[in-house]
Amino acid sequence: MRRLFSAPPAAADVRPALLSVVSLMMLLLPMLLMATSAQKLTGLTLSVPGPTESLPPELPGAVEKLSVQRVSGGYLVTASVRNTDVGSSIGDTEQKSFTEPTLTALQARLLSFKALDPSRDRIRLVPAADTPTDEVVRWMDTVRNSPEGPLFPKVVMEAAGVAP
Amino acid sequence: MRRRVFRRSAASSAGGLSSASLAPMVDMMTILVIAVLRTWSTDAPAELPEEGLRLPLSSQEAPVNKGIVVDVGVDGLYVEGWRAGSATYWSDSDEVLIGEVYEALQLLGGDRITVRAHESAPWSLVGKVMFTAKQAGYPNVELVAVSRASL
């Protein structure tokens, strides 16, 4: 028999599904907070050859040597750049030196060397003996990456007064 | 009083717990879980041998490889948590090779060391530790820092 007043179709109740998600989150969050650490550590790999080893040779490129030294008043960038003569060969280089006052200026200078020799990925850093470690780490971050992309990811560290 | 023919459904009058009120909560929880997963580390918290040893900050996010841990603290030098020398003495010393650290590293054996240096430790001291590790036959050296992505 047909009813005179039919009830409107009942909408599916989504609350049980949402409640289960919320319950899961409530369990997951404390578990995560208990099982993990708020301090995320990172490892900065340094190239240090063994007593009888030397660093592997680099790919021949326009920039043959590149080092940055901490000096009073900034950072001294020293580079051996191959001559642009048609007949120039490996080792036929020109020494270039620049003193950059800040890390931003240093990064801009290194970007110009990277543009000159994109295949180069190694850089030598020579901090001063009294340079604190956090400054060295900031320095390493600057020479490894820039907003434009990676610079020189392989860092060879030296300390003034300590033989490499 | 006149009786209503069509009553409101019981679900809508329950109050408090409606699907509309749960949705923002689920959104917030999801954002929170993603933030925690992004910034927190599953590694065990670093056990540092000195109270005031603070690691430097870095923008890198590479994982730390397992190796022999050498700590360069404010007060001392430590190999695997055991004190192996005075930081002040070796910082001022003209000697480059740190004898006690060298012996400890040779005893432990391996090819990788993980250096955890205090943020204000002079690089000459960290350089001496690296040089000592190199002489002891550890070519792989890693410097540990706290990622800026940490909470």
Side-chain angles (χ1 to χ4, degrees):
Chain A
M1 189 179 135
R2 198 175 162 199
R3 297 180 66 179
L4 186 57
F5 300 106
S6 60
D13 194 358
V14 294
R15 284 176 301 169
L18 282 174
L19 267 175
S20 62
V21 173
V22 171
S23 309
L24 191 65
M25 292 286 184
M26 285 292 193
L27 286 174
L28 197 61
L29 203 60
M31 275 175 64
L32 272 173
L33 293 175
M34 280 189 291
T36 57
S37 164
Q39 199 179 52
K40 196 173 185 176
L41 297 179
T42 181
L44 309 169
T45 309
L46 304 172
S47 297
V48 181
T52 56
E53 297 170 336
S54 59
L55 291 169
E58 294 179 80
L59 289 171
V63 181
E64 293 195 6
K65 283 180 187 170
L66 184 60
S67 69
V68 184
Q69 188 174 358
R70 186 77 170 100
V71 292
S72 59
Y75 303 90
L76 176 67
V77 183
T78 312
S80 298
V81 182
R82 195 178 297 171
N83 288 336
T84 51
D85 297 344
V86 177
S88 67
S89 58
I90 294 173
D92 194 3
T93 58
E94 185 184 348
Q95 287 284 334
K96 294 191 175 190
S97 296
F98 307 92
T99 304
E100 304 297 346
T102 62
L103 285 173
T104 314
L106 172 68
Q107 199 170 55
R109 177 65 65 190
L110 292 177
L111 270 169
S112 68
F113 283 114
K114 186 70 180 177
L116 205 61
D117 187 358
S119 65
R120 186 177 181 87
D121 58 359
R122 190 191 296 171
I123 191 165
R124 198 169 64 97
L125 301 184
V126 189
D130 59 347
T131 308
T133 305
D134 64 338
E135 191 185 324
V136 175
V137 170
R138 275 203 304 276
W139 194 9
M140 285 167 68
D141 289 345
T142 303
V143 303
R144 275 186 159 146
N145 287 302
S146 74
E148 281 79 17
L151 280 172
F152 304 102
K154 292 181 183 170
V155 176
V156 180
M157 294 300 304
E158 285 179 25
V162 178
Chain B
M1 194 176 99
R2 198 174 151 195
R3 196 176 161 199
R4 291 183 68 177
V5 179
F6 303 105
R7 286 186 185 170
R8 292 173 67 192
S9 69
S12 61
S13 62
L17 198 65
S18 67
S19 58
S21 65
L22 279 176
M25 191 177 174
V26 173
D27 292 347
M28 284 306 297
M29 284 291 187
T30 309
I31 290 168
L32 208 56
V33 167
I34 290 169
V36 167
L37 288 175
R38 170 75 183 83
T39 55
W40 283 50
S41 168
T42 51
D43 293 335
E47 289 180 19
L48 301 171
E50 281 183 14
E51 189 77 20
L53 202 158
R54 287 193 308 274
L55 298 174
L57 280 175
S58 171
S59 59
Q60 306 285 319
E61 289 187 38
V64 182
N65 293 304
K66 300 286 179 196
I68 305 291
V69 178
V70 180
D71 292 299
V72 182
V74 185
D75 183 51
L77 304 173
Y78 305 84
V79 179
E80 289 286 314
W82 297 94
R83 190 179 167 94
S86 160
T88 314
Y89 173 80
W90 284 108
S91 187
D92 298 338
S93 172
D94 291 334
E95 287 181 62
V96 178
L97 190 82
I98 305 171
E100 293 88 345
V101 174
Y102 178 79
E103 285 168 16
L105 288 177
Q106 281 215 318
L107 277 173
L108 289 166
D111 67 343
R112 178 180 292 278
I113 67 158
T114 304
V115 180
R116 299 188 301 193
H118 183 59
E119 60 182 8
S120 66
W123 190 254
S124 60
L125 184 59
V126 181
K128 283 176 186 175
V129 169
M130 282 166 50
F131 177 77
T132 304
K134 190 175 73 174
Q135 293 298 315
Y138 289 77
N140 302 314
V141 179
E142 203 168 57
L143 187 66
V144 178
V146 176
S147 176
R148 287 189 197 276
S150 303
L151 282 179

